Amino acid sequence: MAYTVGMYLAERLAQIGLKHHFAVAGDYNLVLLDQLLLNKDMEQIYCCNELNCGFSAEGYARARGVAAAVVTFSVGAISAMNAIGGAYAENLPVILISGAPNSNDHGSGHVLHHTIGTTDYGYQLEMVRHLTCAAESIVSAENAPAKIDHVIRTALRERKPAYLEIACNVAGAECVRPGPVSSLLPETPSDLTSLQAALDASLAWLAPRDRVVLLVGSKLRAADAQAVSVELADRMGCAVTIMAAAKGFFPEDHPCYRGLYWGEVSSPGAQELVESADGIICLAPVFNDYSTVGWNAWPKGDNVLLAEPDRVTVAGRSYEGIALRDFIKGMTARAPSKPATAEGTTAPRLELAQAKGHAPLTNDEMTRQIQALLTKNTTLTAETGDSWFNATRMNLPGGARVELEMQWGHIGWSVPSAFGNAMGSQDRRHILMVGDGSFQLTAQEVAQMIRYELPVIIFLVNNRGYVIEIAIHDGPYNYIKNWDYAGLIAAFNAGEGHGLGLHAKTGDELQDAIEKAVANKRGPTLIECSIARDDCTSELVNWGKRVAATNSRRPAAD
Ligand code: TPU
């Protein structure tokens, strides 16, 4: 059988480890989808819409390191771009593949459907360039292999999304077969001169300091530096704190772990520890308005060593071209070895008292019960809103993972992302915490969890509104139409699925619902947890006040 452009792409995607790709059909991508289906190492997974398709792939990339989403031109791809922006912000290599006009129509002056009605079909490529690290349009089979390989290689190297569009008549055109994949998976070597200089400077900076803290940031996973950072902590024996978006990126059962640093909404003791340290080693942090609590918790100055994915800044100098892993390994080899945590504090533990079983359900009781479900095999996806604060205050067993989207912060992200993550790591228990407001954006993707029989346990927090926005700035726009969320599941099952929808208004009802959810292995269980609107974490309220103050700064005078 002749090999085609679509088959080339499919083989490359399978070679880089994809067992699935996500898709929504449209006439510009139908031939491409047929070609992808011919590859038996990969399954095609369908989504309800292209935004969800992009976020499903984003979640899959969280589980497996890379993912692909296939959509149709403009009406599909422009919706997917929002999720691609999210993948860029969150450092996830998602390859967006769009069907495109027939190669004969480019430059022909023809007006085509699904376009903005002009005759230049380059606008989609121009738009997506801003959201990807590589973007290519394929209008001939001859240069398809080079363009496909360039896009995949760049996405994997940069840990960012990339884009391919394939003219609908070229997807099935004859093409060569791919060779071995090794050239697409380059190890980026550090510049050794720069690395040695950075290590010398860092060790000199470290020598006089005796209250050093490691601060773990959210780019650590993309930098493939999680395991080596544990070895560094073992060696240095110093306290380790994490940033909120890096929840789960350092094992909380490690003897050096000292909790979450998030300015005044830190876990107990962590703010004092970090702010009184004489050395803060920041590993792959993202300091933005949210993570610094409105620019109030931003470690800076001579006491800070900033180790980013490709550069180190210490003692007034910046050293470029250094892979974070190599820097951390070098520090582990050369830093003085000390016993774990001489500073005498212990890791904070969230201990919530069990509420009376018949009492109305509270946020704390819900959090207590969800925390009790976590094991080393759990992936907990937590949506924007108080779910952020509930997830980040929980104690995690070693091995448990938390997924947050704190840089992009698109409400509704979590439902398709948890779907994609569950598809990509079916050996793990998947738990999703999502507020009612967020759920309303992407609710229909629960139907795909039913279709593919993924036993995701969804805690739908029904507090009748956008409580995080109420904390930041209140107004009539923060109050939403109530839905029968648990009741949706019967509609999605449509008599042929195993989804379960349950209500919990008390602690006892929640306990009972969780037992049913754990027993339901052939589909998702959505537990609608009703709590009072003003029942939220104090962290949300305090953080919200700070962010509101930052947002409402007056314009600077000329
Ligand atoms: O816990 P809670 O009640 O705050 O969660 P819920 O109900 O999911 O409310 C989230 C409210 C919210 C909004 C409306 N959080 N951020 N936003 C702003 C926003 C609007 N549109 C998108 C796509 N993303 C956003 N973050």
Side-chain angles (χ1 to χ4, degrees):
M1 186 173 58
Y3 225 68
T4 66
V5 170
M7 291 164 78
Y8 186 101
L9 173 62
E11 189 163 333
R12 279 303 195 211
L13 294 178
Q15 282 178 327
I16 60 170
L18 298 196
K19 298 277 178 229
H20 310 87
H21 57 269
F22 297 86
V24 180
D27 59 358
Y28 289 109
N29 71 13
L30 297 177
V31 173
L32 175 62
L33 293 178
D34 289 341
Q35 299 297 311
L36 296 176
L37 282 170
L38 294 174
N39 188 306
K40 298 304 171 204
D41 293 331
M42 224 178 8
E43 208 183 323
Q44 201 161 81
I45 303 295
Y46 305 109
C47 296
C48 295
N49 64 49
E50 288 82 356
L51 173 67
N52 292 354
C53 185
F55 280 137
S56 298
E58 189 261 24
Y60 193 85
R62 288 170 183 265
R64 300 186 69 90
V66 59
V70 188
V71 298
T72 194
F73 197 66
S74 283
V75 290
I78 293 177
S79 291
M81 280 186 206
N82 192 328
I84 294 302
Y88 199 102
E90 303 289 327
N91 305 295
L92 293 160
V94 174
I95 299 168
L96 176 65
I97 301 152
S98 174
N102 185 296
S103 60
N104 300 301
D105 287 324
H106 290 263
S108 66
H110 296 161
V111 174
L112 297 173
H113 72 286
H114 288 348
T115 71
I116 57 172
T118 57
T119 56
D120 173 0
Y121 304 119
Y123 63 91
Q124 184 167 304
L125 185 67
E126 290 309 310
M127 290 170 75
V128 81
R129 277 195 206 285
H130 296 279
L131 305 172
T132 55
C133 63
E136 294 289 349
S137 170
I138 295 178
V139 287
S140 85
E142 285 71 34
N143 55 19
K147 288 186 172 181
I148 291 170
D149 288 356
H150 166 67
V151 158
I152 294 176
R153 182 188 298 110
T154 311
L156 292 176
R157 191 186 61 226
E158 304 287 321
R159 315 304 299 167
K160 295 285 185 193
Y163 171 80
L164 275 173
E165 65 183 35
I166 304 182
C168 56
N169 58 328
V170 173
E174 217 170 303
C175 164
V176 295
R177 282 191 74 150
V181 74
S182 49
S183 65
L184 296 193
L185 312 168
E187 276 281 305
T188 315
S190 294
D191 179 275
L192 289 183
T193 308
S194 194
L195 176 61
Q196 287 313 324
L199 286 170
D200 290 346
S202 298
L203 290 159
W205 171 89
L206 187 63
R209 298 168 202 271
D210 59 4
R211 295 188 321 281
V212 175
V213 178
L214 292 183
L215 179 61
V216 170
S218 60
K219 288 189 177 174
L220 197 72
R221 176 164 67 182
D224 194 17
Q226 282 177 260
V228 291
S229 68
V230 176
E231 288 164 17
L232 179 62
D234 290 341
R235 170 80 177 203
M236 292 182 59
C238 62
V240 180
T241 53
I242 58 159
M243 296 180 71
K247 178 75 175 177
F249 286 8
F250 188 88
E252 297 192 4
D253 53 0
H254 191 281
C256 293
Y257 181 67
R258 290 293 176 275
L260 169 73
Y261 175 66
W262 200 357
E264 69 179 66
V265 295
S266 299
S267 48
Q271 184 178 19
E272 297 71 22
L273 195 63
V274 171
E275 292 178 4
S276 69
D278 61 2
I280 308 171
I281 301 179
C282 302
L283 300 177
V286 173
F287 294 121
N288 64 17
D289 49 346
Y290 277 13
S291 72
T292 63
V293 199
W295 314 119
N296 290 297
W298 189 355
K300 276 183 173 177
D302 296 344
N303 282 349
V304 172
L305 184 160
L306 182 60
E308 295 177 283
D310 54 5
R311 77 167 53 236
V312 171
T313 305
V314 61
R317 278 191 186 229
S318 190
Y319 301 86
E320 218 269 327
I322 298 171
L324 182 59
R325 268 159 55 88
D326 293 340
F327 175 72
I328 294 178
K329 279 187 191 166
M331 289 294 283
T332 305
R334 291 176 56 188
S337 174
K338 292 196 181 150
T341 59
E343 102 288 341
T345 62
T346 53
R349 305 250 342 139
L350 178 69
E351 307 285 357
L352 297 168
Q354 182 170 354
K356 291 215 165 49
H358 294 295
L361 187 61
T362 61
N363 186 45
D364 277 356
E365 177 60 13
M366 179 186 72
T367 303
R368 188 189 71 78
Q369 292 199 28
I370 297 172
Q371 176 167 275
L373 256 184
L374 306 182
T375 68
K376 62 181 174 30
N377 198 39
T378 302
T379 297
L380 171 66
T381 299
E383 179 64 85
T384 297
D386 208 19
S387 299
W388 274 353
F389 296 88
N390 278 324
T392 51
R393 69 184 176 138
M394 284 181 192
N395 310 317
L396 290 189
R401 294 183 198 153
V402 173
E403 300 295 351
L404 301 158
E405 197 220 28
M406 286 191 163
Q407 177 61 35
W408 193 240
H410 183 302
I411 58 171
W413 150 84
S414 67
V415 180
S417 183
F419 165 58
N421 202 319
M423 185 61 74
S425 52
Q426 295 182 27
D427 51 328
R428 297 182 67 81
R429 169 181 284 165
H430 288 269
I431 297 177
L432 164 59
M433 293 177 75
V434 53
D436 48 354
S438 300
F439 186 75
Q440 290 194 359
L441 275 81
T442 53
Q444 67 275 61
E445 224 53 30
V446 176
Q448 306 297 357
M449 298 177 188
I450 294 174
R451 177 178 188 172
Y452 294 104
E453 301 195 350
L454 296 170
V456 181
I457 304 177
I458 303 168
F459 292 90
L460 183 297
V461 187
N462 189 350
N463 54 12
R464 305 287 181 106
Y466 296 155
V467 171
I468 189 171
E469 300 290 55
I470 295 171
I472 294 174
H473 183 118
D474 202 7
Y477 31 74
N478 290 331
Y479 301 87
I480 60 177
K481 169 76 181 78
N482 192 36
W483 292 5
D484 177 3
Y485 300 97
L488 282 178
I489 303 301
F492 289 153
N493 280 335
E496 56 184 25
H498 302 279
L500 204 56
L502 303 167
H503 284 103
K505 293 194 168 77
T506 65
D508 278 350
E509 286 176 10
L510 182 58
Q511 198 62 57
D512 188 50
I514 289 175
E515 279 166 27
K516 292 192 172 103
V518 170
N520 181 22
K521 306 273 188 231
R522 290 195 59 194
T525 302
L526 184 149
I527 306 173
E528 182 178 340
C529 303
S530 298
I531 63 172
R533 183 178 291 139
D534 59 358
D535 182 9
C536 61
T537 59
S538 57
E539 287 85 354
L540 171 66
V541 174
N542 293 335
W543 174 90
K545 276 187 201 146
R546 287 287 193 179
V547 170
T550 304
N551 284 348
S552 58
R553 281 168 302 165
R554 300 171 72 85
D558 291 335

